[in-house]
Amino acid sequence: MSDVSMLWTGLDYERSGKQSDYLRLPHSSDLSAYGWIPIPLVVIANGTGPTLLLTAGTHGDEYEGQIALNRLARELRPEDINGRVIIMPALNFPAVMAGRRVSPLDEGNLNRLFPGDPKMGPTAAIAHYVDKVLFPKCDLVIDLHSGGRSLDYLPLALAHPGSNDAHREKVKSLLNAFGAPFSVLTDGSGGGGHTTLYAAAAKRGIPALTTELGGGATLSPRGLAIAETGVRRVLKHFGIASGLDVDDTSSTRLMRSLGREAAIYAPEGGLFEPNADLGEMVAAGDLAGRIHFPDSPMRDPVELHFSNAGMISCRRFPTLTQRGDCLFNLMTDVQ
């Protein structure tokens, strides 16, 4: 895999001040042989403090992070900063403009393509730039997500637990500073595993978190507020913008994901009738829901039961369901 990125920008990451331009993603099409796709990029730098990379729009149908980072990009001033903040509110810009989880250019799911490869298409080239160019500049990484059109989520932050004791403590410090209602330690099973942005950052030893702040491809006002407050808490806690007016107290509840072994997946396609809700505590054997069959009205629905006890962290949003769709995920308190 090449270490040379196809993407470029006119911004100087080492320059003090506030810069706003684009990361340019080359894309050759019928009507634009030598064209490029603009990915908005804001860099605010001053002093010698840490560098924080903030991304959203990794999936285009997740909106809380996009709005939170747009607002932050407008509000932060160089004189507020000791360090550097790199803000990318629409990282997978083609997906953002299409309102889709994946890119319309190549059907690429950016959060399943890390560490990326410039020879594997435009979406993998974005991942490659983040991994090879941006991560080496960063001390902290936050990638803001929500459930998109297929899931509804409790507002929470997630992180890989860390590769050693020092890394684990830094991850916990980052989660506590962000202060989501729930902070979940996970290995990514059932999701992207080690192919996600925050997992790739963690692999480099960078304290990194992601979030889930709503769902249903609409805007959660509560999720937006958590994103805005959480990012500002991190900026203040790590001394990057210590003068920000934000409540820096945190009452996050530390959890661990129970992974795909405790998740419920649709065994057949049909209409999903949930019997449990977000945040509910369930026991092994409890009824999770039913799958009804619109093409066979005389057929009894299939009943689904939880195999583990835990708290419901997410639930499928659409009713129409196909075999293999994730219906519920569970988490439990860290002991």
Side-chain angles (χ1 to χ4, degrees):
M1 182 170 61
S2 172
D3 285 338
V4 179
S5 177
M6 299 168 54
L7 284 68
W8 80 98
T9 179
L11 299 187
D12 180 356
Y13 289 108
E14 307 308 318
R15 196 181 91 190
S16 294
K18 186 171 185 176
Q19 305 172 74
S20 177
D21 191 45
Y22 301 102
L23 184 63
R24 290 156 170 80
L25 170 65
H27 184 63
S28 181
S29 66
D30 290 341
L31 297 178
S32 185
Y34 304 137
W36 47 266
I37 305 293
I39 300 173
L41 173 63
V42 177
V43 180
I44 309 165
N46 184 46
T48 58
T51 292
L52 171 63
L53 172 64
L54 297 169
T55 59
T58 306
H59 293 141
D61 61 348
E62 302 172 6
Y63 300 110
E64 290 78 5
Q66 296 181 46
I67 292 175
L69 294 192
N70 277 333
R71 187 170 290 154
L72 185 71
R74 293 192 300 271
E75 292 179 359
L76 279 183
R77 304 168 301 170
E79 54 266 34
D80 299 326
I81 299 298
N82 178 32
R84 178 171 52 184
V85 185
I86 301 171
I87 306 175
M88 304 186 75
L91 184 60
N92 192 352
F93 187 74
V96 166
M97 297 309 294
R100 295 183 58 194
R101 181 175 180 84
V102 301
S103 173
L105 300 182
D106 57 3
E107 297 299 310
N109 181 340
L110 178 54
N111 218 34
R112 299 295 184 272
L113 287 172
F114 279 85
D117 188 328
K119 301 187 292 295
M120 290 180 60
T123 308
I126 298 172
H128 180 263
Y129 183 90
V130 172
D131 187 74
K132 294 296 188 292
V133 178
L134 294 182
F135 282 168
K137 302 179 185 299
C138 295
D139 301 290
L140 303 160
V141 170
I142 296 177
D143 184 33
L144 297 169
H145 283 257
S146 304
R149 65 181 64 184
S150 73
L151 292 171
D152 199 7
Y153 252 98
L154 282 178
L156 49 83
L158 305 99
H160 282 245
S163 54
N164 54 53
D165 288 344
H167 190 198
R168 280 188 282 274
E169 288 307 310
K170 290 178 181 178
V171 167
K172 288 182 180 179
S173 178
L174 178 59
L175 288 168
N176 191 62
F178 188 86
F182 299 93
S183 294
V184 184
L185 299 176
T186 177
D187 62 3
S189 66
H194 294 283
T195 62
T196 62
L197 187 153
Y198 79 110
K203 187 176 180 181
R204 287 180 171 267
I206 305 169
L209 67 78
T210 190
T211 64
E212 299 291 357
L213 297 173
T218 189
L219 183 70
S220 162
R222 184 187 182 201
L224 175 59
I226 291 168
E228 292 185 317
T229 301
V231 167
R232 284 166 169 77
R233 282 175 174 156
V234 168
L235 286 165
K236 184 175 182 179
H237 177 82
F238 288 95
I240 304 170
S242 56
L244 285 181
D245 183 15
V246 61
D247 179 4
D248 55 2
T249 59
S250 173
S251 58
T252 192
R253 182 172 171 181
L254 189 61
M255 313 289 286
R256 65 177 177 87
S257 171
L258 292 177
R260 61 190 176 196
E261 291 77 13
I264 293 195
Y265 299 91
E268 299 185 63
L271 304 179
F272 170 48
E273 176 198 359
N275 193 61
D277 207 350
L278 291 177
E280 186 174 333
M281 297 297 300
V282 299
D286 283 355
L287 178 66
R290 301 174 179 88
I291 302 290
H292 298 265
F293 305 100
D295 58 343
S296 301
M298 298 302 293
R299 181 182 173 188
D300 289 336
V302 170
E303 290 194 345
L304 308 171
H305 296 264
F306 292 104
S307 61
N308 291 70
M311 178 187 287
I312 296 172
S313 58
C314 74
R315 190 183 79 180
R316 179 168 173 80
F317 188 81
T319 299
L320 185 62
T321 300
Q322 303 299 323
R323 178 182 284 118
D325 285 340
C326 181
L327 306 179
F328 291 101
N329 275 336
L330 298 180
M331 61 185 181
T332 190
D333 287 280
V334 171
Q335 302 300 323

